[in-house]
Amino acid sequence: MLTNKTIGVGLVCVEFPGKVENVHNLMECFKGQETLSMVLADKNKKLSLYFRPNDPYSHCCTGEVVPTERILLKVYHRRLKKGSNTSNERGVKDDIKTEIIGVIETSYKFKSFVDFQYLPMTKSSFNTCESILDKIVPSKLEDSSYFKRDVPLFLLPEVFSRTDVSCDYNYKQEKQVQRIKSKILHEAHLVGTDRDRRNNNAIFLKFEDKGIPIEPMPAAVEVLKRYKLNDDVNMVKKLFEERPIWSRTSLMGIANLEFKNIKVVLPTIAYYFVTGPWRALWCKIGYDPRKDPKAKIYQMLDVRIRLSARTYNSDIAFKAAAENNSTKLPRSLFSSRRYNHTCRLSKLPENHHIFKRDILPPFHQMYYQVCDLKDDELQKFVHANDGYEQSCDERDGWLLPDTFQKMRDLIHTLITLKIQEISDKETQEIERNEDEDGEGDEDEEGDEEIDDEMVNEIMEYFQPTLQNT
């Protein structure tokens, strides 16, 4: 067993990348013993090794600190002289002794490149290399004439290498390059830039694309034949006869269809707009809303509840339904998987796609079709240019410029007023209950105090959750 007495003192190991023949020259490579001691005293510093210490243009090799657990041994090996015939030395083996000098707790290893050297030399007329170090580095204090001499030009490279240590390079293209190539090759099939579109046999159309599909893709029809969805197909066809443009969630809510079924039925009846005023909507195959001014009532309006309305009264704004276990509503029907319909919402809210001024929206972000805004003031913006529609553009469609922004401002005002109305009613109800509780007998004060404590404890439990909504 090793003890403090046997292991000796703590040592530092410097693994010099070369053969040492002269210790004095070795210390010069580290700029002297004083410089070496300063570096060893601070473990955060790197040890610089110069193979040409007298050359200021020498590129140093850096050594990094590596914690180690090694022991330095001193070995004594006594060997018998050859030809010795003394009786005492006959049959005696070599004598080997060991001594523990100390424990090496820290090592400096030079793993960086050492072959990046730029020598201050020029070729002479005899095709030999000649050093110009004495011509470009002053050896004593010189006057101004020293800097007016004609000397060879010598400039060091700004950077020798991007990295100081060697690394494996597999000669593979970077992911960003592969993503750009994938985008160029599959531009016709991409909506986003993160991944290729999954093949669901639907027809996707941009606003600037010319023409419309007149029949579904054959693959979509073949997929539909594998399922027995005749009732669902007839229901969706009937709805598209009543209205040529629908959103998927509206169809799911009205027809009470499951997501896995409507995903198969829709590509056989309608195509999908990716951009433009009918983005995220399914349009009946054979119908082009860009050529029909009456299609402006089916345009998409993206409404996001503003922060001022959401934080007006966090206790009542957008509460979850009573049958819902969670008091935090999803931000949108089109949000991430953790807010999927089967997990968070067992059933879509009734008439969730319709806006009325006396009903708060069920989600923080809503996608309304203009015809589903059941408010006279909002419809005035829609029909302001009836009969005078001139052209259909990608931003406003058939509506007047900035119509969508005016409608969002009005919806925000209506929602804020509704929240204020509900907040005032709840405040009055709370004050009325407090007045009724204060009229009780003195004998019931103890019970009332207990009830108040229970109410406060329950409210402290629910309050943080409600504020997060």
Side-chain angles (χ1 to χ4, degrees):
M1 180 176 179
L2 297 177
T3 62
N4 293 334
K5 185 176 181 180
T6 58
I7 60 178
V9 296
L11 302 175
V12 177
C13 175
V14 178
E15 298 183 4
F16 185 79
K19 183 179 179 180
V20 179
E21 295 182 351
N22 190 313
V23 179
H24 177 73
N25 294 337
L26 173 66
M27 299 304 296
E28 291 297 326
C29 293
F30 296 111
K31 297 295 183 181
Q33 185 175 358
E34 183 179 355
T35 304
L36 180 62
S37 300
M38 293 176 58
V39 175
L40 297 181
D42 189 356
K43 294 184 179 180
N44 294 326
K45 292 184 178 180
K46 293 184 179 181
L47 184 60
S48 299
L49 170 61
Y50 297 88
F51 289 97
R52 303 190 313 278
N54 297 326
D55 185 2
Y57 299 103
S58 175
H59 183 218
C60 68
C61 176
T62 57
E64 297 183 353
V65 181
V66 179
T68 56
E69 296 180 356
R70 294 185 289 184
I71 298 176
L72 179 62
L73 297 178
K74 187 175 182 180
V75 181
Y76 299 92
H77 187 190
R78 295 182 61 188
R79 298 179 181 179
L80 296 177
K81 295 181 179 180
K82 293 182 179 181
S84 178
N85 297 323
T86 59
S87 59
N88 294 334
E89 295 178 347
R90 291 177 182 175
V92 179
K93 296 183 179 179
D94 294 350
D95 186 13
I96 299 177
K97 295 182 180 180
T98 59
E99 178 185 353
I100 298 177
I101 303 300
V103 177
I104 301 175
E105 300 176 350
T106 305
S107 297
Y108 284 86
K109 296 186 177 181
F110 296 89
K111 298 181 180 180
S112 60
F113 298 130
V114 297
D115 55 348
F116 288 107
Q117 303 295 329
Y118 204 77
L119 304 179
M121 305 181 72
T122 57
K123 286 188 177 182
S124 63
S125 58
F126 300 99
N127 200 18
T128 58
C129 293
E130 180 182 355
S131 175
I132 60 172
L133 187 62
D134 56 341
K135 297 180 180 180
I136 59 178
V137 178
S139 58
K140 60 180 180 177
L141 185 62
E142 303 284 353
D143 54 10
S144 59
S145 61
Y146 178 83
F147 301 98
K148 298 179 181 180
R149 299 178 297 113
D150 294 332
V151 295
L153 182 63
F154 180 75
L155 296 176
L156 282 177
E158 184 178 357
V159 178
F160 284 91
S161 175
R162 293 178 59 185
T163 59
D164 291 335
V165 296
S166 60
C167 60
D168 295 332
Y169 190 75
N170 298 325
Y171 296 97
K172 292 183 179 180
Q173 287 185 337
E174 297 181 359
K175 293 182 179 180
Q176 183 67 21
V177 178
Q178 295 177 353
R179 189 180 296 113
I180 294 174
K181 286 188 176 182
S182 176
K183 181 179 179 180
I184 296 175
L185 295 176
H186 306 281
E187 182 68 25
H189 305 286
L190 276 179
V191 175
T193 57
D194 294 336
R195 62 171 177 83
D196 293 342
R197 175 175 297 280
R198 295 175 181 173
N199 186 16
N200 56 2
N201 302 317
I203 301 175
F204 298 91
L205 200 68
K206 294 182 179 180
F207 180 82
E208 61 271 14
D209 293 341
K210 297 181 180 180
I212 58 172
I214 57 176
E215 59 182 9
M217 296 181 64
V221 179
E222 292 296 328
V223 173
L224 182 61
K225 292 180 180 180
R226 304 174 190 172
Y227 301 86
K228 297 180 180 180
L229 302 174
N230 295 330
D231 295 338
D232 294 343
V233 172
N234 295 332
M235 175 66 72
V236 175
K237 284 184 177 180
K238 182 179 178 181
L239 292 174
F240 271 98
E241 291 296 332
E242 299 174 0
R243 184 199 296 186
I245 302 176
W246 287 88
S247 65
R248 186 180 64 188
T249 53
S250 300
L251 291 173
M252 292 173 59
I254 294 176
N256 196 20
L257 299 177
E258 296 183 4
F259 175 75
K260 61 180 181 179
N261 294 340
I262 200 169
K263 184 174 64 174
V264 178
V265 174
L266 271 177
T268 62
I269 301 175
Y271 62 94
Y272 187 84
F273 262 109
V274 177
T275 60
W278 296 278
R279 65 188 180 280
L281 296 177
W282 290 85
C283 184
K284 182 181 177 181
I285 292 179
Y287 177 72
D288 191 354
R290 298 169 295 183
K291 298 181 179 180
D292 186 8
K294 296 181 180 180
K296 66 180 181 180
I297 62 175
Y298 306 122
Q299 294 180 193
M300 171 67 73
L301 175 63
D302 180 5
V303 178
R304 302 174 186 181
I305 308 304
R306 298 174 184 174
L307 185 62
S308 58
R310 274 190 265 172
T311 58
Y312 183 84
N313 191 329
S314 58
D315 294 341
I316 63 171
F318 315 106
K319 287 184 180 178
E323 66 272 12
N324 215 1
N325 294 330
S326 174
T327 58
K328 186 174 182 180
L329 281 174
R331 294 185 178 273
S332 168
L333 287 175
F334 303 101
S335 55
S336 60
R337 292 182 179 179
R338 63 192 184 101
Y339 292 131
N340 55 61
H341 308 309
T342 58
C343 176
R344 286 281 178 172
L345 298 175
S346 58
K347 185 179 180 181
L348 290 174
E350 185 178 0
N351 296 329
H352 67 279
H353 62 286
I354 297 177
F355 174 80
K356 295 181 180 180
R357 64 168 56 200
D358 57 340
I359 300 177
L360 292 177
F363 303 98
H364 293 163
Q365 182 177 4
M366 292 297 299
Y367 295 87
Y368 293 111
Q369 286 185 261
V370 174
C371 59
D372 292 329
L373 301 175
K374 305 301 182 182
D375 186 83
D376 294 338
E377 293 187 38
L378 292 172
Q379 291 299 324
K380 288 181 181 179
F381 292 116
V382 179
H383 300 284
N385 63 335
D386 283 354
Y388 298 96
E389 299 89 349
Q390 296 181 355
S391 61
C392 179
D393 59 66
E394 185 175 359
R395 181 173 177 267
D396 299 303
W398 293 104
L399 300 177
L400 293 175
D402 298 330
T403 299
F404 283 141
Q405 187 58 41
K406 295 178 181 178
M407 296 171 71
R408 291 190 185 99
D409 294 339
L410 179 56
I411 291 175
H412 169 68
T413 303
L414 296 176
I415 291 175
T416 305
L417 293 175
K418 183 62 178 178
I419 294 175
Q420 185 176 0
E421 179 184 351
I422 297 175
S423 177
D424 294 340
K425 288 183 180 180
E426 288 200 354
T427 303
Q428 294 175 3
E429 185 177 353
I430 293 173
E431 293 177 353
R432 190 184 306 111
N433 293 336
E434 290 178 353
D435 294 338
E436 293 177 358
D437 294 340
E439 297 176 358
D441 297 333
E442 295 180 358
D443 296 337
E444 298 178 357
E445 289 182 357
D447 296 335
E448 290 177 358
E449 291 178 358
I450 296 175
D451 293 338
D452 290 340
E453 291 179 1
M454 294 176 61
V455 171
N456 292 334
E457 184 176 356
I458 294 174
M459 290 302 296
E460 289 176 358
Y461 176 78
F462 282 101
Q463 189 72 13
T465 308
L466 292 174
Q467 288 180 355
N468 290 334
T469 62

